[in-house]
């Protein structure tokens, strides 16, 4: 099984409680925030994101230049213009990883989000995008992904939205709790995955790697 490289995108789908947020945090723990900045758009105030011990909180519009993990906490709809402005700055700078929790809370009018999804590879902007409602999210978050991870989706419209981009049946049977389907587009490899490590284990990895990174900055 391949993981995304330092310019690729993964989109993770699943209803609340399916395991997608835990999986996304695990994917983040494997990424290159020790050599470049990664920013998190934390629309929901996720508890586990809040436990990344050495992450730094930023105001929208502030763009980090040093390696590490940085967190924005935008208010959906209220901060839409500031979110778009921040994403344009990320697009202009390049070489910043972007983690979005939750994808459908990014306004469909946000042209910078589309630019990150469609042009981010050439600008070395890897992305992790989560959503529980793919039917409400920009279709570019699905069409431009290099990898898909699919947990259980209760709504038929959401399942159909994801299925329309994946040439393997993700609806044939419901997987056990916290299991998922994983599709690597580049290798055309489709497989089932067991649950990732528990959040507390992933946070240990994140915090240890972050501590070492800060020590050498």
């Amino acid at each position: 099984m391949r993981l995304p490289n330092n310019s690729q995108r993964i989109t993770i789908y699943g209803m609340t409680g399916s395991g997608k947020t835990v999986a996304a945090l695990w994917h983040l723990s494997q990424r290159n925030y020790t050599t470049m900045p990664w920013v998190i758009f934390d629309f929901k105030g996720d508890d586990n994101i809040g436990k990344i011990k050495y992450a730094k909180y930023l105001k929208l519009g502030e763009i980090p230049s040093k390696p590490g993990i940085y967190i924005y906490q935008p208010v959906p709809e209220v901060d839409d213009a500031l979110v778009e402005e921040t994403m344009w700055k990320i697009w202009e700078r390049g070489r910043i990883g972007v983690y979005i929790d939750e994808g459908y809370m990014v306004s469909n009018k946000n042209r910078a989000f589309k630019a990150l999804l469609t042009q981010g590879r050439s600008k070395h902007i890897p992305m992790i995008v989560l959503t529980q409602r793919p039917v409400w999210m920009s279709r570019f978050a699905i069409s431009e992904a290099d990898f898909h991870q699919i947990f259980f989706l209760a709504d038929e419209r959401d399942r159909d939205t994801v299925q329309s981009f994946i040439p393997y049946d993700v609806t044939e049977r419901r997987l056990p709790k916290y299991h998922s389907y994983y599709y690597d587009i580049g290798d055309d490899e489709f497989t089932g995955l067991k649950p990732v490590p528990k959040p507390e284990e992933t946070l240990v990895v994140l915090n240890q790697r972050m501590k070492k990174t800060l020590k050498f900055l």
Side-chain angles (χ1 to χ4, degrees):
M1 165 184 160
R2 286 196 313 160
L3 293 176
N5 66 28
N6 294 336
S7 63
Q8 291 179 317
R9 287 71 49 90
I10 181 170
T11 303
I12 304 173
Y13 320 87
M15 63 179 288
T16 300
S18 63
K20 73 176 182 305
T21 304
V22 174
L25 197 67
W26 178 80
H27 278 285
L28 178 64
S29 75
Q30 307 301 305
R31 303 308 287 266
N32 62 331
Y33 50 86
T34 58
T35 57
M36 65 182 264
W38 269 78
V39 297
I40 299 175
F41 287 86
D42 181 16
F43 286 96
K44 300 186 300 182
D46 181 77
D47 288 342
N48 286 315
I49 290 175
K51 293 176 183 176
I52 303 175
K53 188 173 181 181
Y54 298 100
K56 181 178 179 180
Y57 287 81
L58 299 178
K59 294 179 181 179
L60 289 166
E62 295 181 332
I63 306 300
S65 59
K66 296 180 179 180
I69 295 174
Y70 302 84
I71 302 172
Y72 303 114
Q73 291 188 309
V75 178
E77 298 186 3
V78 173
D79 291 330
D80 283 356
L82 284 171
V83 168
E84 183 171 13
E85 176 188 328
T86 303
M87 288 184 175
W88 275 128
K89 288 182 177 180
I90 292 169
W91 180 87
E92 290 168 0
R93 183 186 184 279
R95 297 189 181 277
I96 298 178
V98 177
Y99 175 119
I100 297 177
D101 182 21
E102 147 78 55
Y104 80 79
M105 292 183 181
V106 179
S107 170
N108 285 326
K109 298 179 181 179
N110 187 327
R111 293 177 299 166
F113 185 39
K114 177 182 175 181
L116 290 176
L117 292 165
T118 58
Q119 302 167 29
R121 184 185 293 109
S122 63
K123 289 179 167 287
H124 301 283
I125 301 174
M127 299 183 73
I128 300 171
V129 181
L130 294 71
T131 187
Q132 60 183 346
R133 296 307 312 270
V135 71
W136 291 347
M137 186 177 64
S138 168
R139 290 175 71 83
F140 288 102
I142 306 175
S143 66
E144 299 303 313
D146 301 287
F147 297 82
H148 302 271
Q149 188 166 0
I150 308 102
F151 291 85
F152 180 66
L153 291 162
D155 191 288
E156 183 178 1
R157 295 170 300 170
D158 290 321
R159 294 196 299 270
D160 289 346
T161 298
V162 177
Q163 184 66 77
S164 65
F165 289 93
I166 297 177
Y168 297 91
D169 193 346
V170 299
T171 64
E172 182 178 5
R173 67 185 182 93
R174 181 171 178 174
L175 294 174
K177 191 173 184 180
Y178 304 140
H179 288 60
S180 61
Y181 291 113
Y182 188 80
Y183 180 45
D184 175 344
I185 293 176
D187 281 355
D188 190 26
E189 183 177 348
F190 182 76
T191 187
L193 295 184
K194 295 180 179 180
V196 301
K198 294 179 180 180
E200 51 268 29
E201 297 173 34
T202 296
L203 285 164
V204 167
V205 174
L206 277 164
N207 290 329
Q208 286 179 345
R209 292 187 69 200
M210 283 284 288
K211 185 176 181 180
K212 290 180 181 178
T213 300
L214 292 173
K215 182 178 178 180
F216 292 103
L217 289 180

